[in-house]
Amino acid sequence: DGGITQSPKYLFRKEGQNVTLSCEQNLNHDAMYWYRQDPGQGLRLIYYSQIVNDFQKGDIAEGYSVSREKKESFPLTVTSAQKNPTAFYLCASSTQGGPDTQYFGPGTRLTVL
Amino acid sequence: GDSVTQMEGPVTLSEEAFLTINCTYTATGYPSLFWYVQYPGEGLQLLLKATKADDKGSNKGFEATYRKETTSFHLEKGSVQVSDSAVYFCALASSNDYKLSFGAGTTVTVRA
């Protein structure tokens, strides 16, 4: 089955530690995205990538970093510089950047202890 | 910039009741409009979409019509079930942009 996988489902981190969230897709999509979801709010875009080895900042990129070395993979690192990292993180992909349907993974819930 | 405003929740209904969730948007050009659904603890799933004015998107008994004159994309279902309990997000994609702009989400609970 084609789809997007995110791991782990739950992640706990101590303050001051960096942590990397995994996102893999086998849909052969060119574009991939990372969103953050907080309770009672819509999704906010962190980073996006339209092609391998290229990515751009979204609306709330501070304290986060990404890489896109392979078409299938778009890992997100939450650094110690992110002041309030506890949230639900969602990865998505689409066939191309632009007004196209985005398909979402199941999400990773990050809790900072 | 582009934005989406949707009805605040939570919304609680009885089974077989009629559901409407209002969504209005602000955008330049001719955006595409989407409704996504999120079940507890899961990611978002596309429910339906419309890409031009007067288009009607439909899926699983849900419908929404792209109304350019009122800049709206209201979601409706004639008879809800307990399994429709979820958070519903209205979203917009500009005609020349990569981004999806999301509404804040509306939590719907259907009671048996």
Side-chain angles (χ1 to χ4, degrees):
Chain A
D1 287 339
I4 302 175
T5 57
Q6 291 185 242
S7 62
K9 189 170 179 64
Y10 299 96
L11 189 57
F12 298 89
R13 184 194 97 176
K14 292 182 179 179
E15 281 193 30
Q17 289 181 336
N18 293 353
V19 63
T20 298
L21 282 60
S22 169
C23 177
E24 304 277 335
Q25 55 97 1
N26 60 4
L27 300 168
N28 200 32
H29 285 171
D30 289 313
M32 296 186 74
Y33 311 82
W34 274 106
Y35 293 90
R36 171 180 172 139
Q37 184 179 20
D38 294 285
Q41 298 188 34
L43 279 66
R44 293 182 289 170
L45 183 66
I46 304 172
Y47 268 97
Y48 74 103
S49 169
Q50 293 181 289
I51 195 168
V52 174
N53 292 322
D54 187 46
F55 49 83
Q56 285 77 41
K57 293 181 179 180
D59 299 321
I60 56 165
E62 185 175 351
Y64 299 97
S65 65
V66 294
S67 63
R68 187 84 187 278
E69 298 176 0
K70 298 186 299 180
K71 187 175 185 178
E72 304 80 22
S73 179
F74 191 42
L76 173 74
T77 296
V78 184
T79 76
S80 57
Q82 168 49 235
K83 296 188 187 327
N84 185 21
T86 295
F88 191 49
Y89 291 87
L90 288 159
C91 179
S93 70
S94 65
T95 54
Q96 59 186 17
D100 192 20
T101 301
Q102 293 185 16
Y103 296 88
F104 286 79
T108 292
R109 186 166 298 281
L110 172 64
T111 302
V112 174
L113 303 173
Chain B
D2 296 344
S3 66
V4 173
T5 302
Q6 67 179 97
M7 187 174 82
E8 289 188 17
V11 174
T12 302
L13 302 165
S14 298
E15 258 191 328
E16 300 183 3
F18 185 86
L19 171 67
T20 299
I21 303 176
N22 290 340
C23 172
T24 57
Y25 67 89
T26 301
T28 55
Y30 303 94
S32 297
L33 300 172
F34 305 82
W35 277 100
Y36 282 86
V37 59
Q38 184 179 35
Y39 299 101
E42 298 183 8
L44 275 66
Q45 301 175 23
L46 178 68
L47 183 58
L48 53 84
K49 70 177 184 180
T51 58
K52 61 182 187 293
D54 299 325
D55 268 2
K56 177 186 282 188
S58 61
N59 185 28
K60 298 182 182 180
F62 290 89
E63 293 183 340
T65 301
Y66 187 162
R67 302 285 189 199
K68 189 167 176 61
E69 63 275 14
T70 54
T71 61
S72 65
F73 193 54
H74 304 322
L75 182 68
E76 297 181 337
K77 185 173 185 180
S79 176
V80 293
Q81 305 300 313
V82 172
S83 57
D84 293 324
S85 298
V87 181
Y88 293 84
F89 291 94
C90 185
L92 169 158
S94 299
S95 55
N96 58 354
D97 200 356
Y98 59 89
K99 291 172 60 175
L100 277 180
S101 298
F102 285 88
T106 301
T107 300
V108 173
T109 301
V110 180
R111 294 182 174 170

